Amino acid sequence: MLLALIYEAQAFAQRKVTISGHITDYDSGETLIGAGILEGSSGTGAVTNNFGYYSLTLRAGEYDFQYSYVGYKDDVRHIALLRDTVINVALKSGETLASSKVVASKDAGIQSTYLGAIDVPIAQIKNTPVLFGEADVLKVLQMMPGVQGGNEGFSGIYVRGGGPDENLILLDGVPIYNVDHMLGIFSVFQPEAVKKVTLYKGSFPARYGGRVSSIVDIRTNDGNIKETRGTASIGLISDKIHLEGPIIKDKLSYSVSARGMHTILYSPFIKLLLKDEYANYYFYDLNGKVTWRLSDRDRFYFGTYHGRDRFLFNEEEQGEGTETIGLETTYHKYKSRTDVGVFWGNTVGSARWNHIYNSKLFSNTTLSYNRYKMVMNAGEKETEIVDGVKSTNRYHLDYRSGIRDISLRSDFDFNPSPSHLVKFGTEYTWHTFIPERMSAVDREVQGDNVQIDTTLYFTDPKKVYKGHELSFYAEDDLSLGEHVTINPGFRLSMFNTEGQTYWSFQPRVSAKVSTGNGLSFKAGYARMAQYVHLLSSAQISLPVDLWVPITKDIRPVTSDQFSAGVYYDKIKGWEFSIEGYLKKMNNILEYKDGTLMLGTSDGWENRVEMGEGTARGIEFLVQKTAGKTTGWFAYTLAKSDRIFPDGSINNGERFPYKYDRRHSIDISVDHRFNKTWGIDGAWSFATGGTTTVPVRQVAVLHPDGYIVDAQYVDHRNNFRIPPSHRLNLGASYHKERRRGETVWNLSVYNVYNQMNPNFVFMDYGPDYDKNGNRIGTSLKMKKITILPILPSISWTRNF
């Protein structure tokens, strides 16, 4: 009997049990992404996933668990684990200012296995002063090492030598194709609707694919399940409102956000002031989400986003008179009207199901719809009456393009033991590309309704490109003892279009070695593949930019990136990191010499060439993560170039990429004096990108004997644009109210009015001798600055 009891006790001690559950905010019930659970005696722990779920497997016994999250008070619990147990924990907000910290977790930050992975909390995004006082997700990401903006003042991102179409930007796991408003000055993401932003630019997790430079994973609020809360804001450019609350308390919640440019309300007044003409531009964003907590095992999420930019213009002219030719006098009366309308934007919808099969296996299944659409209509009507005979001429142009995706995805998290976190899944996407549809018709009506229709231009309305994309992935975050973790994984993807099927096997691996005294080392490798391209000749985001798929002649872009880094976080409240990378790119596209591609996909494959690219760099990041003063210093030394060995571009010689910037420095500081007052500052410096300019004029003799002047270009991207730098400052005043608070924010963009080049171009200008006498003209580089010193003020009411 005694032996049986001893055997049973030994078996119990060896038996494995699992503790799992969700970690949420105590006040709102909002799930906390990246929150941690730590077992005190062994140091074994786990981190919540993108839906706030954690799972930790241990031997049966009694344990002290510490639940924690940045900016929240720790919750320590003594729990006797006798069987698989579900523990849901709600953390209370702490009194610290550590919420400005770039969060460290298993997915991102110093503590993760991945390189080049950064979580930026929304508090930091809201406190960083930017243009017009509009908090902007992408502009804060531009201040991270390895990330650069395109043109000065615009929100596009260029990561580690890549282009704007090489970034996969996800909103709750759904790709967003157009991420800009006002031609790139603002991004489409409203911070009030966003819960978490994670940037991947190095050793990519295997669950991500489809782009070769970066992944930006943006997660939105689920909605307060306890009580109704909201925010209303009035700014210099736009107004915003955010509401969230319970539909059924603790079960069903909603979150809605809206943002609109002031000019959306000005239309009636503009029409009153301008009788014969009208012009207006505005944008808006709408976000919505419903979360249904059916049970501890099942949750459902229904989300939507809809955003538009719209430009409208119309003009009317009329007049009358007589005309005498010889002995004949004729009477003329005419009237004309011109109308132009352009709108573009995204519509996204998703339905998501979380299911917990058991304490070790979690799944998320998502069905999503995504559409980007651009429509431009232009019309002109001219009516003329000559001696009582009326004639009417109508011209109409219709131009549209877009892309539509329908996707089904399943992701699984499997936690067999504390030393393994296995993620695997699959995804299918049906792409429909509409690069362009255009028709131009001229209709003339004369006399007794004699109608003449002339089709000036017409494209096949049924012309679309179909694409089928299928992928599988698996990865394992594996701990090998106390100081070594490794994350091996792979992604297998297939893309079918025009009868051609491309397969891509993409291995991924990253490893971390910790010394135990705050010092750690990481190294990683990742292969990525991309199946879509953005056709654009402009330096800014335009609505006529076109998304097109790969074809039977244009192969997928691939990249192989090697990276390594050193990290240190022993000093309390500080983090230091140095990362280096080397990225090789294949089948990248460049327009042929002398080719422009603006708003047309007709024969685009014949206007581009496939070549190779190389990007390399070193990134330094110093962060102060706690205390009244927080912020970071980032420096990037980088180089990016292209080569087309077949000689089709630049005679086969290597040339710098147009967004190659050698040096970038970003400094951000946030200081809280107390609960009432705070100040923020951000200073950025970047060497200029490159552009192609002629070096001189030459005379060219044609075979027919004519001599013409021409511009001679020695090689592509032969001129470096001057560097740019600016200082942004902001101050905030918080006033507590009986319910919520009021916040006034004053900010100044480009404090010392640096005339940075927003655009550069070539134009003829005068030349003078040393005595000031004009001696001729020559081509000169000129710049346009549209963003000088710009103060702004905003008012926000939290309730």
Side-chain angles (χ1 to χ4, degrees):
M1 183 69 177
L2 180 62
L3 290 176
L5 291 175
I6 295 174
Y7 176 79
E8 184 176 346
Q10 291 177 339
F12 176 79
Q14 295 298 319
R15 186 163 61 89
K16 296 291 186 70
V17 294
T18 300
I19 181 173
S20 61
H22 290 84
I23 302 179
T24 60
D25 179 276
Y26 180 84
D27 294 321
S28 67
E30 187 77 38
T31 55
L32 300 179
I33 302 173
I37 171 177
L38 184 68
E39 193 281 306
S41 61
S42 65
T44 303
V47 174
T48 58
N49 63 12
N50 284 330
F51 303 95
Y53 178 78
Y54 74 91
S55 175
L56 180 62
T57 300
L58 300 166
R59 289 190 176 93
E62 295 189 8
Y63 297 96
D64 290 318
F65 293 103
Q66 177 181 338
Y67 294 85
S68 61
Y69 190 66
V70 176
Y72 286 74
K73 296 177 181 178
D74 291 350
D75 187 339
V76 179
R77 300 189 179 191
H78 181 82
I79 300 174
L81 283 184
L82 306 179
R83 63 185 63 86
D84 289 350
T85 305
V86 175
I87 300 292
N88 295 321
V89 176
L91 298 180
K92 295 181 179 181
S93 178
E95 297 297 325
T96 67
L97 292 175
S99 58
S100 294
K101 179 180 178 181
V102 176
V103 181
S105 70
K106 286 212 170 189
D107 273 347
I110 286 183
Q111 300 302 323
S112 74
T113 312
Y114 303 112
L115 294 92
I118 302 173
D119 278 349
V120 183
I122 294 303
Q124 190 69 63
I125 294 172
K126 291 180 178 179
N127 291 335
T128 302
V130 291
L131 183 62
F132 296 123
E134 292 281 334
D136 193 282
V137 171
L138 297 188
K139 285 190 176 178
V140 174
L141 290 182
Q142 287 179 355
M143 301 184 68
M144 295 294 142
V147 184
Q148 302 172 0
N151 283 29
E152 165 65 21
F154 291 82
S155 63
I157 59 173
Y158 300 79
V159 181
R160 290 188 171 180
D165 62 338
E166 296 175 4
N167 308 300
L168 179 63
I169 300 181
L170 302 169
L171 184 65
D172 281 335
V174 183
I176 301 292
Y177 286 97
N178 180 67
V179 297
D180 300 309
H181 286 309
M182 290 185 70
L183 307 181
I185 292 181
F186 302 113
S187 71
V188 302
F189 305 107
Q190 184 179 341
E192 289 76 12
V194 174
K195 175 165 60 176
K196 185 167 183 268
V197 178
T198 306
L199 168 70
Y200 298 94
K201 53 189 172 72
S203 53
F204 300 95
R207 59 188 179 274
Y208 296 112
R211 301 294 188 275
V212 296
S213 286
S214 77
I215 308 294
V216 180
D217 192 352
I218 300 173
R219 299 285 166 168
T220 61
N221 296 316
D222 297 334
N224 194 315
I225 63 171
K226 304 291 186 181
E227 59 181 343
T228 299
R229 292 285 185 176
T231 297
S233 179
I234 300 175
L236 192 64
I237 292 294
S238 68
D239 300 326
K240 296 174 283 188
I241 187 168
H242 172 74
L243 290 172
E244 58 179 84
I247 301 173
I248 301 175
K249 192 172 182 179
D250 295 328
K251 278 287 186 180
L252 189 65
S253 64
Y254 72 91
S255 174
V256 294
S257 301
R259 174 176 66 167
M261 194 172 177
H262 296 317
T263 51
I264 196 173
L265 306 174
Y266 294 169
S267 292
F269 305 102
I270 295 174
K271 291 177 179 178
L272 286 175
L273 293 173
L274 303 175
K275 295 182 178 180
D276 296 328
E277 63 180 8
Y278 167 80
N280 195 7
Y281 164 81
Y282 59 84
F283 66 80
Y284 65 86
D285 299 295
L286 303 171
N287 291 271
K289 193 172 186 179
V290 173
T291 302
W292 181 21
R293 297 160 178 83
L294 180 63
S295 66
D296 283 340
R297 287 185 176 272
D298 295 284
R299 297 189 179 198
F300 294 89
Y301 305 83
F302 305 93
T304 183
Y305 165 78
H306 178 73
R308 283 288 184 269
D309 289 68
R310 186 179 292 269
F311 172 75
L312 301 170
F313 171 81
N314 63 61
E315 183 181 35
E316 290 187 2
E317 292 183 5
Q318 57 184 346
E320 57 183 319
T322 59
E323 181 180 10
T324 302
I325 300 177
L327 299 177
E328 285 192 23
T329 299
T330 58
Y331 173 75
H332 292 263
K333 185 177 182 179
Y334 71 92
K335 183 178 181 180
S336 68
R337 177 182 174 90
T338 301
D339 293 280
V340 177
V342 186
F343 74 84
W344 63 99
N346 306 284
T347 299
V348 174
S350 64
R352 183 174 289 108
W353 171 41
N354 286 179
H355 180 67
I356 301 173
Y357 290 91
N358 53 53
S359 57
K360 297 181 180 181
L361 184 60
F362 173 93
S363 75
N364 173 59
T365 302
T366 304
L367 175 65
S368 64
Y369 171 85
N370 176 24
R371 184 186 70 179
Y372 168 69
K373 184 178 182 181
M374 176 267 178
V375 175
M376 178 171 62
N377 289 297
E380 185 175 13
K381 178 182 178 181
E382 296 180 347
T383 302
E384 186 177 26
I385 301 175
V386 180
D387 286 342
V389 179
K390 181 179 179 180
S391 63
T392 302
N393 184 277
R394 289 186 175 91
Y395 170 80
H396 180 75
L397 170 69
D398 183 274
Y399 178 93
R400 58 188 63 210
S401 67
I403 180 173
R404 182 177 67 246
D405 290 348
I406 299 176
S407 179
L408 179 63
R409 178 183 179 112
S410 288
D411 301 282
F412 296 86
D413 290 0
F414 179 53
N415 294 265
S417 70
S419 60
H420 288 271
L421 174 55
V422 179
K423 295 178 182 286
F424 61 95
T426 183
E427 180 178 16
Y428 167 75
T429 302
W430 178 30
H431 300 279
T432 302
F433 298 85
I434 309 172
E436 61 176 351
R437 290 177 181 172
M438 183 164 62
S439 64
V441 178
D442 186 81
R443 172 172 294 177
E444 184 176 355
V445 180
Q446 298 177 343
D448 298 327
N449 296 323
V450 178
Q451 181 173 306
I452 304 173
D453 286 351
T454 305
T455 301
L456 304 178
Y457 191 84
F458 178 80
T459 59
D460 184 0
K462 296 182 180 180
K463 180 184 177 183
V464 296
Y465 295 97
K466 300 287 187 179
H468 300 273
E469 186 174 356
L470 181 65
S471 60
F472 305 88
Y473 75 88
E475 60 180 281
D476 183 10
D477 201 62
L478 173 63
S479 298
L480 303 176
E482 185 178 353
H483 299 296
V484 178
T485 57
I486 185 172
N487 188 298
F490 74 91
R491 186 179 184 88
L492 178 64
S493 63
M494 179 276 294
F495 194 91
N496 176 271
T497 183
E498 296 186 329
Q500 177 74 42
T501 300
Y502 294 95
W503 288 91
S504 175
F505 179 71
Q506 303 160 44
R508 320 273 178 87
V509 63
S510 55
K512 174 191 171 188
V513 177
S514 302
T515 62
N517 58 356
L519 185 66
S520 59
F521 304 87
K522 299 182 188 180
Y525 163 78
R527 165 165 281 199
M528 303 287 281
Q530 179 168 333
Y531 303 108
V532 296
H533 300 286
L534 182 66
L535 301 182
S536 173
S537 289
Q539 297 178 342
I540 59 174
S541 173
L542 293 175
V544 292
D545 294 345
L546 302 175
W547 285 96
V548 295
I550 59 173
T551 68
K552 60 180 182 298
D553 299 315
I554 301 295
R555 296 186 296 276
V557 179
T558 61
S559 71
D560 293 274
Q561 183 172 175
F562 303 86
S563 51
V566 182
Y567 310 83
Y568 184 73
D569 63 352
K570 187 66 173 177
I571 302 175
K572 185 177 181 180
W574 289 85
E575 293 181 355
F576 304 85
S577 67
I578 303 175
E579 286 188 5
Y581 65 90
L582 172 64
K583 183 165 65 173
K584 297 287 187 178
M585 296 165 280
N586 294 297
N587 302 327
I588 57 174
L589 300 184
E590 286 273 349
Y591 297 123
K592 294 180 179 179
D593 292 332
T595 298
L596 286 178
M597 185 78 68
L598 187 61
T600 176
S601 65
D602 190 23
W604 72 271
E605 298 164 272
N606 300 321
R607 304 186 185 188
V608 298
E609 294 287 349
M610 291 185 294
E612 303 170 6
T614 303
R616 60 189 71 84
I618 300 176
E619 302 165 359
F620 300 85
L621 179 63
V622 178
Q623 301 178 73
K624 189 173 187 301
T625 60
K628 288 188 174 182
T629 302
T630 58
W632 71 82
F633 168 85
Y635 169 70
T636 303
L637 173 65
K639 183 179 181 181
S640 180
D641 54 40
R642 305 288 188 262
I643 187 172
F644 291 76
D646 61 358
S648 56
I649 294 179
N650 204 51
N651 298 318
E653 298 178 359
R654 192 174 295 274
F655 60 92
Y657 182 47
K658 63 180 177 179
Y659 293 109
D660 170 48
R661 298 175 184 263
R662 192 70 70 246
H663 305 279
S664 296
I665 301 174
D666 292 284
I667 302 173
S668 179
V669 178
D670 176 21
H671 180 74
R672 304 290 104 180
F673 294 100
N674 46 49
K675 292 183 179 181
T676 303
W677 287 98
I679 58 173
D680 310 279
W683 184 77
S684 298
F685 169 88
T687 51
T690 64
T691 189
T692 303
V693 301
V695 295
R696 60 179 177 270
Q697 286 185 310
V698 296
V700 178
L701 177 62
H702 281 244
D704 55 11
Y706 288 97
I707 298 178
V708 296
D709 291 333
Q711 299 173 357
Y712 173 72
V713 176
D714 55 351
H715 62 86
R716 180 168 289 202
N717 295 341
N718 58 353
F719 180 83
R720 190 164 291 277
I721 299 169
S724 60
H725 53 90
R726 71 177 183 279
L727 173 67
N728 304 335
L729 294 177
S732 60
Y733 171 76
H734 299 251
K735 178 66 175 178
E736 293 288 340
R737 301 293 182 184
R738 185 174 63 87
R739 180 178 171 86
E741 66 172 356
T742 299
V743 181
W744 287 93
N745 185 277
L746 175 66
S747 63
V748 182
Y749 179 88
N750 197 1
V751 171
Y752 48 83
N753 199 33
Q754 174 66 21
M755 305 310 269
N756 293 312
N758 298 112
F759 304 100
V760 295
F761 64 97
M762 298 298 298
D763 196 9
Y764 285 97
D767 293 325
Y768 300 92
D769 62 17
K770 61 182 180 180
N771 297 320
N773 300 315
R774 181 169 177 170
I775 57 176
T777 60
S778 63
L779 280 170
K780 299 183 182 299
M781 175 68 69
K782 296 187 178 182
K783 71 174 183 179
I784 297 177
T785 299
I786 64 172
L787 297 174
I789 181 172
L790 293 168
S792 64
I793 188 170
S794 65
W795 172 88
T796 301
R797 180 74 166 91
N798 299 316
F799 55 89

